[in-house]
Amino acid sequence: MTSELTPAEVHRRIVEAAFTEEGLQYLDPDVVDHRGGAGGDHVGIAAWREKWAAISRGEFLADVRDLSVRVEQNVSDGEFSVNRYTSSGTQISTGRRYAVTSMDMIRVRGGRIVEHWALMDVTARAAQLRGEA
């Protein structure tokens, strides 16, 4: 039962089950994905499912293959869990690889994610893909 899981356990499980229907069980029906930018916040499991589908179709990183995310550290306090990742991949058009720090934070209630925030060092990623790093 998800309500018995700690926020760190929920975080670990959704990372392991990312892009699957199983992973969606760790989301509250009214989950808020604070994406920022022009898209703003996205609300609900359907929005999360669409985000995962777009990533799987390559719409976010169409020119990247071998995309991987490795959790380096987790810190949890109360309802919150934060993962620090190394995100990496290879740009198809140039063959250049990148590896950058990324972080995401979730808030969990009743064993389900109710809020999510994510950050990636896109400046470092862009520099690496240009061959500057």
Side-chain angles (χ1 to χ4, degrees):
M1 189 70 172
T2 60
S3 63
E4 299 170 10
L5 299 175
T6 67
E9 290 169 327
V10 170
H11 213 167
R12 180 182 57 78
R13 288 184 182 199
I14 198 162
V15 168
E16 291 172 354
F19 308 107
T20 69
E21 286 295 314
E22 177 188 347
L24 298 175
Q25 75 177 326
Y26 300 104
L27 301 175
D28 183 83
D30 298 316
V31 62
V32 178
D33 190 5
H34 300 285
R35 296 185 199 175
D41 294 347
H42 290 72
V43 179
I45 293 173
W48 201 288
R49 182 182 283 117
E50 178 53 35
K51 173 178 75 170
W52 279 357
I55 291 169
S56 295
R57 289 189 304 262
E59 292 173 18
F60 285 135
L61 297 170
D63 193 30
V64 175
R65 65 177 163 80
D66 303 329
L67 181 64
S68 71
V69 176
R70 184 178 66 242
V71 177
E72 304 289 352
Q73 182 179 17
N74 174 273
V75 177
S76 185
D77 184 32
E79 296 182 325
F80 294 90
S81 176
V82 179
N83 279 337
R84 179 176 54 84
Y85 303 94
T86 296
S87 299
S88 60
T90 303
Q91 188 174 41
I92 297 167
S93 59
T94 66
R96 291 190 181 114
R97 290 204 37 82
Y98 72 89
V100 297
T101 299
S102 303
M103 298 181 83
D104 80 331
M105 179 170 72
I106 60 170
R107 191 173 97 204
V108 175
R109 286 194 181 143
R112 296 183 190 271
I113 299 170
V114 295
E115 285 187 277
H116 172 258
W117 300 261
L119 300 168
M120 176 186 276
D121 188 347
V122 294
T123 303
R125 183 182 67 191
Q128 290 174 35
L129 293 176
R130 286 190 307 266
E132 297 173 3

